[in-house]
Amino acid sequence: METRVDFVQSLQSDMSVNILACLNDPVDVVRAGSVSSLWHHFVITNGISKQLCLKRFPQLSGIARITEPDWITTEANGVGSHNSSWDILKRDHNVYASLLHAITALNTCQSECIVYAVSASSTDRFPAESVANTLTTRRYLGGHSYWSSKGHADPDAPETLIYKLKADLCVISEISVQPFEAFYQPGLPIYSAKSVRFRLGHPKNSLDENDIVQMPQQQPADDKFIWTYTSEVYPMEQKNCLQQFKLPEPVLCIGGYLQIELLGRVQRQHSDNLFYTCVSHVKVMGGPLCPAFDIDILEPSGKFALKYNPEVFRWMLQSSSEDSNISPMPSEEEAVEHVGVMGFLLQAYHGGIEPMVWDEPIEWDDDDEEMDELGVL
């Protein structure tokens, strides 16, 4: 007979953790926790789902604590075990696994993520050439709406545009920028930047956030933010089209603000011989994780509390599945891609997909409860 060795049982704990830390898919993490009661305990105790989260989204290292709605805490305290070390570890496992599940689901149903324009580092003629114009494709008086910087003698002078996203916790996968073509000037010049870079982050403090809401859009606001993610530099073409910049991996925006840094200028204006940068349209694709997940920035540390509502998360997954028209009996690849982590395992359990077979039966103490917390039951 074929000899099988359970490395979790046979190897030292550190070695087993290193092996499981190589997992790069939330499906695999939940599968690992479903092998046996030993593996279930090992995955939760060693925070494997949290490690996967931090590997894919380093910004999550700023989590100082996890909170749940008061009614969940009260209900758990009623049974007298919510504050035990095991319950805290199990809660953290469920939250991080659910977060990965939600991010995976958002990849199949992305939408426009910008709510409004916050500010521009400079504006030539306000409000006619305001940064707010970049969020619409409408025409006015026979022309296009657009934002224009002030003129500058230095072709390397940068500009920045700042936008508020749909939620304080968003997954962003693609950002598009369209330079403006001045159809009313000789030669139809296109005022693109040489290159572009993106930053995601949050206000430095609550006072700054109040100021941001009230400040004029033509006033620079870059000094009021902490940027937790900075992209690579992408070259721009001097073309009048929506230029798409797909991020190498989806990025978690913590704080809900986007900065577009327009680097360098290529076009002089004939009338004053100065360099300008002009943008006619900006588009951001991704998805909000709120209200199932939200954050509170903790001052003055800059770390944050991750807020999790399992009931809303369950509803979010159900809505996502209905919008995606998910088949009740998908193939294995479709199950992993569309149904999600626990949905895949649940279908395997009910016979839709052939489950894994092990020498010893799986014994669970609280599997139904955990599946419920992950938004499946």
Side-chain angles (χ1 to χ4, degrees), residues 101 105 109 310-326 338-339 374-377:
H101 190 177
C109 52
E311 292 296 325
V312 176
F313 172 64
R314 185 179 297 107
W315 170 84
M316 186 181 95
L317 289 183
Q318 182 179 356
S319 299
S320 174
S321 297
E322 291 172 353
D323 292 342
S324 301
N325 295 318
I326 296 174
H338 297 296
V339 176
L374 286 171
V376 176
L377 299 180

Side-chain angles (χ1 to χ4, degrees), residues 348-369:
Y349 176 78
H350 286 297
I353 301 169
E354 182 180 354
M356 297 175 287
V357 178
W358 303 91
D359 291 337
E360 299 295 332
I362 297 175
E363 297 180 1
W364 297 103
D365 294 329
D366 47 16
D367 58 336
D368 286 346
E369 180 184 348

Side-chain angles (χ1 to χ4, degrees), residues 269-283:
Q269 182 172 256
H270 179 73
S271 61
D272 59 10
N273 207 33
L274 296 177
F275 289 94
Y276 289 80
T277 302
C278 302
V279 173
S280 61
H281 193 50
V282 170
K283 187 176 183 180

Side-chain angles (χ1 to χ4, degrees), residues 172-185:
I172 304 302
S173 59
E174 183 178 283
I175 302 170
S176 301
V177 180
Q178 182 170 350
F180 175 66
E181 180 178 13
F183 60 90
Y184 49 83
Q185 293 181 359

